[in-house]
Amino acid sequence: MAARILAEGGLVGMPTETVYGLAADATNGEAVARIFEAKGRPLFNPLIAHVASLDMASQEGRLDSAALKLAERFWPGPLTLVVPAARTCSVSDLAQAGLPTLALRWPAHPVAESLIRAFGKPIAAPSANRSGRISTTDAASVADELGSAVDLILDGGACPVGVESTIIGWQDGRMTLLRPGGIAIEAIEEVAGAEAFRLTTDHLEASGIVAPGMLASHYAPEARLHLGCTNLSEAEAILAFGALPKNIRKDARIGQLSEKGDLREAAANLFRMLRWLDSGNPKSIHAMPVPDCGLGLAICDRLKRAAAPR
Ligand code: TXA
Ligand code: MG
């Protein structure tokens, strides 16, 4: 049924291992336009084309040996590769936002993979949230965010990774980290045998490549978010990581990312806990410090953007 809705130009809420995606036929410009409309997303923001085989990926993008090496090691999985579009690329210009490059990902989720296979063409899917807001990691949150704008939501339960894919591109042959995500950059560098260039927002603006997940304010809750908080005595809502300090308000709402300080568990809980804390309508949310190594880099990245002034 979901594949038929896609073929008819409709939108489907699709679970992946990272976050839920708002899926449409990547080759159908009108269907892709509906994604932008439903999300309130700026049109200059390109979408990831989701595939379910290396053949399908190579049809759409030109994977050189460096890209292939990462694809073979990490696909299916939370890695997106930005490569030059192939001559045979079928993805609509709108999904590519007119860029000569294409973002490709093979998600490691049985529901996403079977949907892509049943549909037989690449699926464009940004995170299933309104633009700039917290990403969704369960089907009920997709319904809350997008409501009637989506034709069908496939309920695949909670997303096991919980933060979006790591995005890697190449600029002048240099491997570049465009967005930290579900695969630690250290693991990618080890397989690539090279260090990744860490792109900053300044570089992005100068290069004209707009990776909106890289915009200063993104993933934002309604409440103000304060980072790296160690004094929590006045906090009404706490995004906790590790053991809580003794001195906190009795009525504080506590969203625990990982009591034992496990970054993988924290990533999987991040967006759900932020949503839940925000749903209590606090004035502000105080987040405890999270280390910025391994998966912590993606967590800190999302928290920094969620805390940025809007
Ligand atoms: O885990 C994920 O990647 C999720 C799931 C649904 O697959 N998708 C996701 O999509 O996070 P989205 O649209 O929220 O983020 C995709 C990011 C955007 O920041 C976009 O700007 C960037 O990828 N992007 C897409 N195509 C690009 C390109 N050709 N060059 C540079 N950045 C690109
Ligand atoms: Mg997003």
Side-chain angles (χ1 to χ4, degrees), residues 16 18-21 39 41 45-48 50 80 82 99 101-103 105 125-127 163-165 167 178-179 209-214:
T16 82
T18 57
V19 298
Y20 274 70
K39 282 187 60 106
R41 177 167 172 130
N45 195 338
L47 302 177
I48 297 171
H50 295 71
T80 294
V82 175
L99 294 172
T101 53
L102 182 65
R105 172 162 121 77
S127 50
V163 290
E164 293 85 347
S165 58
I167 306 183
L178 293 166
R179 178 178 73 184
I209 304 174
V210 193
M214 300 291 281

